[in-house]
C-alpha cells in the first residue's frame, strides 16, 4: 500500500439483511455476520495505519425496525464491547463514541462509557462507534451546546448568534478533536449517505461497493484505499498547476 493512507475512514456497513435473506436466514443472522466482519475490518484498518475509523452501527432512524432486530443489534454492541477488550489492548485500539448516548438503554450506555474509559490511554487507531447516530441530530445537539455555553441575554445574545461561525458549530460536534473523514465507504451498493457524518463528510471522498457488508474482506478495504489514492481532492478549489 502507498503511503497516502487516509487518516479517517467512515464506513456505512450496509447489506446485512440482504446477506441473510439471500441465504434464507433471519435478518439477525446477517447482523451477527456483520459484527464478525466489523472486527475483521477494524484489525485490517489498524494494520494499514488508519488513525480513525468511524463505524455506523445504528442510526437515529433504525429504531423504526422490529423490536427484536433492534434488541439483537444492541446485544451485539454489548458483546463487541465486552469481548474485544483484550483485542483492543493488544492492538492499542481506543474506543470513541458519536451519537445521542442518552437515548440508548442504560446497560448499553454503561458498556460504551466503560470501554471509552478502559481504552482511553491506548494510542493506536481510534474506533468511533456511531450508535443512535444521526448527522442532523448531531448538528442540532452541537447548536444546543453552543447556545448553552453562550448563555447571554437580549442584545448580547443576538450578537453572539450573529457571530456563529462554521468553526463554532464544528467545535461543538461530538468529537471536535477528530479530523473530518477523508474517505466514506458504503457497502451493498446504495448511493446515499443516510444521515452519516453530514457536517464532517462535506469533502469526504465516497466509495461505494456492491459487496454486502458480511462479505467484506481486508482486500475490499485495500481496494477502497487504492481508489481513494487516485482521487484529486480540491475542496472546492481548482486543480493545482
Ligand atoms: C445495515 O444493514 C446494518 C445495520 C443497521 C446494523 C449494523 C450493525 C452491526 C454490523 C453490528 C454492530 C457493530 C459494531 C461495530 C458494534 P441492513 O440491515 O440495513 O441491511 P439491508 O439493507 O440489506 O436490509
Amino acid at each position: 500500500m502507498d503511503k497516502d493512507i487516509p487518516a479517517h475512514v467512515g464506513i456505512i456497513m450496509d447489506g446485512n439483511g440482504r446477506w441473510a435473506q439471500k441465504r434464507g436466514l433471519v435478518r439477525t443472522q446477517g447482523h451477527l455476520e456483520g459484527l464478525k466482519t466489523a472486527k475483521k475490518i477494524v484489525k485490517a484498518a489498524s494494520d494499514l495505519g488508519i488513525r480513525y475509523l468511524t463505524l455506523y452501527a445504528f442510526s437515529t432512524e433504525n429504531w423504526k425496525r422490529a423490536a427484536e432486530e433492534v434488541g439483537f443489534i444492541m446485544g451485539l454492541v454489548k458483546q463487541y464491547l465486552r469481548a474485544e477488550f483484550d483485542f483492543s489492548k493488544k492492538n492499542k485500539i481506543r474506543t470513541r463514541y458519536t451519537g445521542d448516548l442518552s437515548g440508548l438503554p442504560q446497560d448499553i450506555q454503561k458498556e460504551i462509557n466503560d470501554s471509552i474509559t478502559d481504552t482511553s490511554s491506548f494510542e493506536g487507531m481510534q474506533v468511533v462507534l456511531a450508535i443512535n447516530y444521526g448527522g442532523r441530530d448531531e448538528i442540532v445537539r452541537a447548536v444546543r451546546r453552543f447556545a448553552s455555553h453562550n448563555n447571554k441575554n437580549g442584545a448580547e445574545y443576538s450578537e453572539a448568534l450573529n457571530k456563529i461561525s462554521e468553526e463554532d458549530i464544528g467545535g461543538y460536534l461530538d468529537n471536535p478533536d477528530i479530523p473530518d473523514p477523508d474517505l466514506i465507504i458504503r457497502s451493498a451498493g446504495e448511493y446515499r449517505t443516510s444521515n452519516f457524518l453530514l457536517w464532517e463528510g462535506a469533502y469526504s471522498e465516497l466509495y461505494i461497493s456492491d459487496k454486502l457488508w458480511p462479505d467484506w474482506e481486508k482486500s475490499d478495504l485495500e481496494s477502497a484505499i487504492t481508489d481513494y489514492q487516485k482521487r484529486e481532492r480540491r475542496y472546492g478549489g481548482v486543480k493545482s498547476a
Side-chain angles (χ1 to χ4, degrees), residues 43-112:
K43 174 80 170 76
S46 161
D47 290 346
L48 287 168
I50 289 167
R51 299 295 307 147
Y52 306 91
L53 180 71
T54 301
L55 296 175
Y56 203 7
F58 194 85
S59 77
T60 45
E61 288 71 38
N62 285 152
W63 297 105
K64 293 178 202 154
R65 297 186 178 205
E68 194 210 343
E69 185 174 341
V70 170
F72 190 87
I73 296 174
M74 291 299 153
L76 287 182
V77 168
K78 204 165 163 176
Q79 187 184 315
Y80 172 83
L81 293 168
R82 284 228 175 132
E84 294 315 299
F85 180 71
D86 289 345
F87 169 80
S88 295
K89 193 173 173 188
K90 190 166 166 225
N91 294 283
K92 311 253 176 302
I93 292 172
R94 182 173 163 195
T95 305
R96 304 286 300 266
Y97 173 77
T98 182
D100 181 3
L101 192 67
S102 68
L104 286 169
Q106 290 287 339
D107 59 329
I108 306 290
Q109 288 188 36
K110 185 176 178 331
E111 287 305 330
I112 293 172

Side-chain angles (χ1 to χ4, degrees), residues 88-146:
S88 295
K89 193 173 173 188
K90 190 166 166 225
N91 294 283
K92 311 253 176 302
I93 292 172
R94 182 173 163 195
T95 305
R96 304 286 300 266
Y97 173 77
T98 182
D100 181 3
L101 192 67
S102 68
L104 286 169
Q106 290 287 339
D107 59 329
I108 306 290
Q109 288 188 36
K110 185 176 178 331
E111 287 305 330
I112 293 172
N113 280 329
D114 287 352
S115 179
I116 290 171
T117 310
D118 296 344
T119 63
S120 63
S121 65
F122 298 166
E123 288 174 345
M125 186 175 77
Q126 302 193 19
V127 174
V128 188
L129 297 173
I131 304 169
N132 194 25
Y133 176 85
R136 289 181 177 179
D137 181 63
E138 186 189 12
I139 295 167
V140 169
R141 288 185 291 101
V143 172
R144 285 188 189 142
R145 281 182 202 131
F146 176 87

